[in-house]
Amino acid sequence: MCGISCILSLANDASHQHTRDLPNGTHGDAAKPNGKRERLEEELKASLEQIRHRGPDATGTWISDDCRVAQPTNASPLPPRLALGHVRLSINDLSPEGAQPFHSPANTPGIHAIVNGEFYDYDAIRAHLEAVTAYPFTSRSDSEIIIALYEHYGLNFTDWLRGEFACVIYDERKQLLVAVRDRYGIKPLFWTVQEVKDQRGKGTGERRLLVASEMKAFLPLGWEPEWDVRSLKDAGWNHDTRTLFKGVQKIRPGHYMTCQSFGRIEERPYWDASFPDKRTPDLRTLQELIEGVRQRMLDAVRLRLRADVPVGIYLSGGIDSSVIAGMVAHLVKEQNVAVGSAPPSDRVTCFSIAFEEDSGYDESAIANRTAEWLGVKYVKKLMNEEELARRFEDAVWHCEQHNPDLNFVGKFALSEVPAEAGYKVVLTGEGADEIFAGYPLYLPDYLREPDLAWAQHNSLPEAERAQHLQLAEEAAREHYRCIGADAGDGAVSVPRRMLNGISTVSSMTAFQPDVFAPWTDEVHPACDPQMTIASNADGIARGHISKDWHPLHAALYVWSKGHLPNIFLTCLGDRTEMANSIEARTPFLDHILTEYVNNLPPSVKLRWQPAERRFVEKWILREAARPFITQELFERRKHAYAAPTRWPRGGPLYVLMTGLVSRENVEGLGFVSWEKVGGLVEAAFGPEGDARALRLALVVAEWVVLAKRFRVRRAEAGG
C-alpha cells in the first residue's frame, strides 16, 4: 500500500510556448527546460512528503524528457510535461526491484505506472501473461503486472484486477494518461485541474492536471483550497464525486479517467454492481447458497493472507471481523496456510481497542472471548477520553473531511496498535453490512415488496409483511431521534420516487449540519442531499432500480455508491489506517464474492425467524460462517461501530471543543452562523448531553481544523 502523486501539463499552455512563465515566479536558468525539470522535481518530492505516511519505506519518481511531443525542425527541447511520484510501503517483494514507478522494458517511448494498493491472485495472472506474451518481468511485485496487462489488453486491463487499488498509467506512444480506481473505492484517488500562478498571483497561462492519493499532496504544487459550500450543503462530498474543496474531485469507484494528448479529460465505468430481476425465481437450494458464500469467503480471505510481511487481523465484538479471524484460524490450522511471512506455526494475531466499560460502547470483552475460542493472540489498547482528544486534530487532517462521530478517531488509534507491534498489514471487516444487508435501516426497504425470487422458501408470511413494514419505519424514526438525527416524516419525495420509493435515502441524509450562514441559502438555493443521492446513480442503474431490482437491492446499491466509499472506507478505512502506515485488506469487498452475494435472493440476507419473532440481518453470512465463530456471535444482533456520545463538562474533549468552536474560529470559516453554533458545546457536554449538539459541534470543530491545516480561505458570499 502506497501513495501516489502525478503532475501533467495540459495542451496549449504557456509553459510549452514561453518557458519563462513558470509557476511560483521562477526566472533565469529555471526558465530553461532543465530548470523547469528541476523545479518540477522539487514540487513532486514536496508533494510526496505530504503523504509520506502512506509509504515510509522508499520514494520513486519519473519525469518525462519531453514526452516525445512533435516539434518543429531545429526547435529547442520542450520542458517535461509529466511527473509521476510514488512513496512505498513495502509489502510484496521487499527488494529494490519492487520499487516504483514501473516502466515497460526497453521501449522508447514506453509505458510507465505507479500503483497504490494490492492485486490479488497475481501469480496466476502473471503465469497467464507469460504464456501469452513475452513480457520480461523484473520483480516479484504484484504491481508490475499492470503494465503487462495494459500492453496486451489495452484499457481492458481493468477486467483482470482483483483487489483494492488506485493506479496511474502513462503511455508515451499514445500520449494517454489513465487513472483507475478499484470497484468499491477502497483506495482514494483525487484530481483537479490547476491554473498555475506566478509569485505575484498572476496567471501564467499554464494548466496542469494533478492526481494524488490525498488532497494534501496538492498543497506543495501551488493549490489554494477553497470551501465548496454547495457540496457541503447538499452533501456532494458524501454522495457523489465532489469533496469539501472547490474543483477537487474523486474518481468514482469502478471507473477510470483518461487524459488524451494532454487535453481531453474523460471518466468512464469499467465495472458496476448488478442484481437479479426481482421477478425471476431462484431455483438453487438453501445449502447450495450457503456453501457458495462460504467457499468464496474462504477464497477471498486466503488470497489476502499473501504478503512478504506478517499479516494481522482487526477484531471487535461484531460478527464481521470475527468471521475473518475465524476463517484465518481455520485456514492456518486445517490447510497450513501461512499468514503473510509468518509460518503457520506462529499464532494468528488480532488487534483491537477498548472504550471504558461503563460507556456502553466497549466490545473488547466479547472480542477477548472470541480470541480465546479461536486460540489466537489478542492485543488491545484502551481508548479513553484523553486519548481521543489527543488524536482528534491529527485524525481530521488525515481524513480530510468531517464526521459526526468520534469513531474515526478510535479507528485512527486502532491503526497504531498493529504498527507498534511491527505489523504493516491487517485484514478488516469493512463492507459486510453493505453486501449482506447488515444495517437495521435496510429493513423497511426489504419489506417494501414481496421477495418473489424466494417465495417458496421465504419464512415471512406475506399477510404479515405490511404490518412489519409499518413497525420497521416507526422503529427507524425512533432510532434516529435517539441519536440526534432526523429521517423525516416518511413522505415519499421526488428523489425517493426516482429510486422506487426506498427509505434508505432518507436514512442516509438523517444527519445534516443545519449550521450554515444565511447568505448560503441565497447563493446556493434548493440544496437537497436526497436529490444528490438519487442523481449519483446513473440513468441505467435508476432504470433497474425502478423496474427490475428488489427495493432491498436498490438500497444496497445507493449506499455502496455514497456512504461506503466516502465515509466507511475513508474515515473508518484507508485514511485512518494509512495515517499510521497500515495496509488494510477487505475480504468482504472481493468482487468475485460480492457478485455472487448480489445475486442471492433478498430473503437470505434479511430473514424472518418465526420462533424468535424477529428479523436476522446478514443471515446467510451467519450460516456460512457458523463453523468459524462462537455461538455468542452467531446469535448476536448488529451493533454499529461508534464511539460514546456523552462526555463530562470540563474534561479533555470539552476543553478541546471549547477552543476549536470559538466565535473567532467559526466566523473565520465564513459559511457557518455563530448564532446557530454558539451554544453547541455547552449543550453537548454534561449529564444530560445533547447527542445532536455533540455531532454538530464535532463537525464544526473538524471544519476549523481543516481550515487551519489546509490554510483554506474564508468563504464569502461573492466568492
Side-chain angles (χ1 to χ4, degrees):
M1 206 64 68
C2 308
I4 59 180
S5 183
C6 169
I7 308 167
L8 179 70
S9 292
L10 298 177
N12 300 321
D13 61 87
S15 71
H16 285 260
Q17 300 171 27
H18 307 286
T19 58
R20 65 181 179 276
D21 294 327
L22 296 171
N24 304 314
T26 308
H27 303 288
D29 290 340
K32 301 175 183 179
N34 286 343
K36 179 76 170 185
R37 182 186 184 87
E38 292 170 2
R39 175 61 186 171
L40 191 59
E41 187 170 2
E42 290 174 5
E43 286 187 294
L44 184 61
K45 288 181 177 179
S47 175
L48 293 173
E49 282 302 314
Q50 286 281 24
I51 54 173
R52 173 64 60 190
H53 49 276
R54 300 189 68 89
D57 297 332
T59 301
T61 61
W62 177 79
I63 298 177
S64 66
D65 293 329
D66 60 3
C67 294
R68 278 70 184 179
V69 177
Q71 303 172 49
T73 305
N74 299 323
S76 299
L78 291 173
R81 276 194 178 272
L82 177 67
L84 299 177
H86 185 267
V87 286
R88 185 185 184 199
L89 182 64
S90 302
I91 290 173
N92 288 321
D93 188 354
L94 309 185
S95 73
E97 284 72 27
Q100 299 187 42
F102 283 111
H103 312 279
S104 56
N107 286 334
T108 305
I111 299 167
H112 315 272
I114 46 178
V115 178
N116 167 32
E118 297 290 345
F119 302 139
Y120 302 116
D121 208 16
Y122 63 92
D123 285 342
I125 297 171
R126 178 167 170 159
H128 164 76
L129 289 166
E130 289 175 333
V132 300
T133 74
Y135 192 89
F137 288 95
T138 60
S139 76
R140 294 183 297 104
S141 171
D142 58 299
S143 299
E144 192 180 3
I145 64 172
I146 193 171
I147 292 182
L149 284 170
Y150 173 79
E151 280 196 336
H152 193 66
Y153 291 105
L155 290 176
N156 285 4
F157 78 95
T158 54
D159 295 344
W160 292 81
L161 303 180
R162 182 178 185 179
E164 55 267 352
F165 51 85
C167 333
V168 175
I169 295 176
Y170 184 69
D171 186 337
E172 285 186 275
R173 296 165 299 183
K174 298 179 181 177
Q175 296 182 359
L176 176 67
L177 182 136
V178 183
V180 59
R181 193 177 181 198
D182 65 65
R183 292 168 178 82
Y184 282 99
I186 304 166
K187 295 292 104 188
L189 198 56
F190 298 91
W191 69 279
T192 189
V193 172
Q194 175 191 39
E195 302 286 344
V196 180
K197 298 178 181 179
D198 63 20
Q199 201 170 35
R200 297 175 295 276
K202 294 183 179 180
T204 64
E206 181 181 359
R207 296 171 64 248
R208 306 195 297 185
L209 171 64
L210 310 180
V211 181
S213 297
E214 299 182 15
M215 291 182 286
K216 59 179 64 70
F218 298 150
L219 288 169
L221 307 179
W223 172 59
E224 299 176 351
E226 296 181 56
W227 295 111
D228 188 337
V229 177
R230 186 169 192 91
S231 175
L232 287 163
K233 294 199 69 175
D234 64 13
W237 66 275
N238 191 358
H239 299 300
D240 59 31
T241 64
R242 286 173 288 172
T243 66
L244 303 190
F245 304 119
K246 285 183 181 179
V248 181
Q249 298 192 63
K250 299 159 284 194
I251 294 178
R252 291 180 184 273
H255 282 63
Y256 64 84
M257 183 183 73
T258 60
C259 183
Q260 180 72 61
S261 301
F262 315 109
R264 187 176 72 253
I265 298 172
E266 295 182 335
E267 187 173 307
R268 295 187 179 184
Y270 67 88
W271 182 89
D272 199 6
S274 63
F275 299 88
D277 190 305
K278 59 189 176 185
R279 297 170 290 266
T280 302
D282 193 314
L283 302 180
R284 294 171 290 181
T285 66
L286 184 56
Q287 191 56 41
E288 181 182 356
L289 300 182
I290 292 172
E291 189 62 26
V293 172
R294 181 179 296 150
Q295 292 307 315
R296 287 166 178 80
M297 268 299 305
L298 283 168
D299 186 48
V301 172
R302 182 187 296 108
L303 288 173
R304 284 160 178 79
L305 293 177
R306 172 73 182 275
D308 292 336
V309 295
V311 176
I313 306 162
Y314 282 158
L315 180 63
S316 70
I319 186 174
D320 304 337
S321 61
S322 301
V323 168
I324 303 297
M327 287 189 168
V328 171
H330 166 80
L331 290 168
V332 170
K333 295 173 185 176
E334 303 299 326
Q335 299 184 21
N336 209 38
V337 173
V339 182
S341 63
S345 57
D346 283 6
R347 289 178 70 192
V348 176
T349 302
C350 298
F351 303 98
S352 180
I353 59 168
F355 292 108
E356 302 286 355
E357 288 186 18
D358 60 357
S359 69
Y361 291 82
D362 181 44
E363 297 182 329
S364 62
I366 301 173
N368 193 59
R369 290 193 291 273
T370 299
E372 290 179 356
W373 185 80
L374 292 173
V376 300
K377 184 178 180 181
Y378 180 56
V379 181
K380 71 177 180 180
K381 172 183 282 190
L382 179 63
M383 188 53 44
N384 56 29
E385 181 185 3
E386 182 179 359
E387 296 297 315
L388 286 172
R390 184 166 63 86
R391 291 169 174 83
F392 178 80
E393 294 187 61
D394 284 342
V396 173
W397 160 250
H398 282 285
C399 288
E400 302 184 326
Q401 62 188 47
H402 58 274
N403 190 323
D405 193 297
L406 287 167
N407 54 4
F408 76 101
V409 188
K411 194 67 182 288
F412 177 81
L414 173 58
S415 69
E416 297 173 0
V417 186
E420 291 167 356
Y423 281 72
K424 292 183 178 181
V425 181
V426 294
L427 270 58
T428 182
E430 268 77 35
D433 291 312
E434 288 77 9
I435 305 304
F436 289 98
Y439 297 122
L441 61 90
Y442 294 140
L443 183 57
D445 289 331
Y446 165 69
L447 295 166
R448 211 162 295 286
E449 292 182 10
D451 182 5
L452 301 178
W454 202 243
Q456 67 183 95
H457 301 288
N458 194 348
S459 55
L460 176 66
E462 177 60 20
E464 297 181 18
R465 183 171 57 81
Q467 178 185 0
H468 284 296
L469 172 59
Q470 181 179 357
L471 293 172
E473 290 180 328
E474 291 173 356
R477 285 193 289 271
E478 177 61 18
H479 167 73
Y480 283 105
R481 186 193 65 78
C482 290
I483 65 172
D486 180 14
D489 57 8
V492 179
S493 59
V494 172
R496 283 186 59 180
R497 284 195 288 274
M498 291 171 65
L499 300 172
N500 197 23
I502 61 171
S503 57
T504 295
V505 176
S506 301
S507 300
M508 291 171 70
T509 58
F511 180 83
Q512 292 300 319
D514 183 22
V515 296
F516 295 99
W519 68 261
T520 64
D521 291 330
E522 300 173 9
V523 177
H524 303 289
C527 288
D528 184 353
Q530 288 193 24
M531 184 59 76
T532 301
I533 295 172
S535 301
N536 189 49
D538 65 31
I540 296 173
R542 290 199 302 272
H544 287 307
I545 287 171
S546 298
K547 302 172 185 175
D548 306 323
W549 296 347
H550 190 278
L552 174 64
H553 288 156
L556 295 176
Y557 183 87
V558 298
W559 186 282
S560 72
K561 297 298 179 182
H563 275 335
L564 178 60
N566 297 328
I567 292 288
F568 293 94
L569 296 177
T570 299
C571 294
L572 304 180
D574 173 88
R575 310 305 286 283
T576 47
E577 288 146 355
M578 289 303 292
N580 289 293
S581 307
I582 294 295
E583 170 183 293
R585 298 178 173 182
T586 52
F588 285 114
L589 294 177
D590 181 277
H591 78 278
I592 304 299
L593 169 67
T594 64
E595 288 174 348
Y596 182 83
V597 175
N598 287 351
N599 280 281
L600 299 178
S603 293
V604 301
K605 300 169 187 175
L606 271 169
R607 192 155 183 83
W608 173 247
Q609 299 289 71
E612 303 173 35
R613 300 295 297 173
R614 72 182 182 97
F615 291 94
V616 176
E617 75 282 350
K618 295 184 286 196
W619 181 83
I620 196 165
L621 174 61
R622 295 171 188 271
E623 294 294 328
R626 196 164 192 171
F628 315 113
I629 60 174
T630 64
Q631 188 67 20
E632 176 184 23
L633 284 165
F634 178 79
E635 297 175 352
R636 192 169 188 245
R637 299 190 183 192
K638 170 67 181 176
H639 290 264
Y641 170 62
T645 56
R646 287 195 175 184
W647 303 97
R649 189 169 295 171
L653 281 172
Y654 173 83
V655 172
L656 177 67
M657 290 297 112
T658 301
L660 290 173
V661 189
S662 67
R663 181 166 195 147
E664 179 182 3
N665 287 341
V666 169
E667 292 182 345
L669 296 172
F671 60 91
V672 177
S673 167
W674 173 250
E675 285 67 29
K676 294 180 180 179
V677 305
L680 287 179
V681 173
E682 295 303 318
F685 289 84
E688 303 299 324
D690 183 329
R692 180 172 177 81
L694 176 64
R695 296 181 188 281
L696 288 171
L698 288 173
V699 168
V700 175
E702 289 154 14
W703 288 339
V704 169
V705 172
L706 292 172
K708 292 178 180 295
R709 293 212 176 182
F710 275 85
R711 303 186 300 276
V712 190
R713 69 176 64 175
R714 186 179 190 274
E716 304 286 352

